[in-house]
Amino acid sequence: MATRELLGVTDVDDEVLATMVASLLGEKRVELLDVTVSTVNYNLPAITTAGRYWVSGHAATANGQQPFRMFVKHVRCWSQSPFFRFVPAEIRDMVAASVPWRTEPLVYRSDLAERLPAGFCMPKVLGVYDLDELSASIWLAEVPATDWAWDLARHRRAAYLLGRLAGSPELAPLAGVGRHKWTVRDYVEGRLRHQVLPMLHDDGLWAHPLLAQAFGPELRARICDAAVQAPRWAAELDEAPLLTGHGDACPNNLLGAPDRDSFVLIDFGFWNPLPLGFDLGQLLLGEVQLGRRPAATLAQTDAVIVPAYVEGLAAEGMFVDPVLVTRLHALQMMIYSGISSLPFEHLDSPPSPELTTIASDRAVLTTYCLDLVDRTG
């Protein structure tokens, strides 16, 4: 069989690979004819992902020669990531434990696919393998995603289904399948306190041209005050109902199915019991943070997704006051995105019109979150 060195430790023997290909093709057995491996073109860094690969080729089957293509994801503990060297030594144990790298393999080993509400599905699982105590590989069927436009109707449909996911009694037993203990307070006392707050108090950082232009003194003061308020807001969120949540329900992780009203869920690393309304945050902000959607759309989109989410909860028999959902949604967006929305990742790059637009949109995003917290307080 052709070499597959690019897979490294995620490779399997020929017999296991043939079994997965047979499952993919719906055959009892196959003979592998050729196999090629390539890396997936994905430019967003992830601290618990060591690699993404396409494994493709041809197999002889009872129905003739057939092509195949599979997706392989290598997940690992954050402590194994090269980014981990930037974490201060005194908090490394806490930080490593805070990121649930085991959750995604456990999700794919579960029967989640059989419990999802109609309109949501997930990739076909071909194999999940423990590589060692700190890493695993996940083999999935390729998802032939359809690139539907993320207009208001699509946001509304996604929010409705996320509400059904959150309120589903069928899904509730799997909310904690990752066995990861987590609270909003953990995030506030972890990343916010040790990483974000020191940067917010760095006068030199605020003098950077990108920030000086987009984030003026008034907005800086509001962000710094929000950071002070974060523990109090975390305590308020601790009182919220914990429901099933995807954890990172941005459009990037809600792939388009052939049916426009359906989505393929991927990237389950932060799947967990989460406060009511949690998944609305990334649905609203995710594309704005990446510079793919203008921040001017936030209010219009938010006005659509909150009622749709509440409607989805009601479809599962959970009736919740929209005012409460809006309040919790506002607090979660502020804590997880608003306080840390400054374009830190771009400050080492020379200013450009594109980066200026990103910084400006991040400032609008932060202002939107701050105003929503104020209005719902």
Side-chain angles (χ1 to χ4, degrees), residues 4 6 78 83 86 90 97 100 119 163 165 179 201 211 223 254 260 285 296 316 327 336 358 368:
R4 302 192 293 267
L6 189 59
W78 185 13
F83 295 110
F86 299 112
E90 64 273 15
L165 183 148
R179 302 193 293 271
H201 290 97
L211 300 187
I223 294 172
L254 302 174
R260 185 183 176 90
L285 304 179
E316 296 292 340
R327 173 61 177 174
Y336 285 94
I358 289 175
Y368 178 82

Side-chain angles (χ1 to χ4, degrees), residues 39-87:
T39 56
V40 175
N41 183 19
Y42 192 88
N43 59 4
L44 297 177
I47 56 178
T48 59
T49 302
R52 301 177 181 87
Y53 310 97
W54 291 118
V55 177
S56 54
H58 298 83
T61 77
N63 296 300
Q65 180 176 310
Q66 295 188 51
F68 65 85
R69 194 180 198 210
M70 300 179 288
F71 174 76
V72 183
K73 186 173 184 179
H74 179 187
V75 296
R76 64 186 173 192
C77 178
W78 185 13
S79 64
Q80 306 302 298
S81 167
F83 295 110
F84 199 70
R85 68 182 186 275
F86 299 112
V87 177

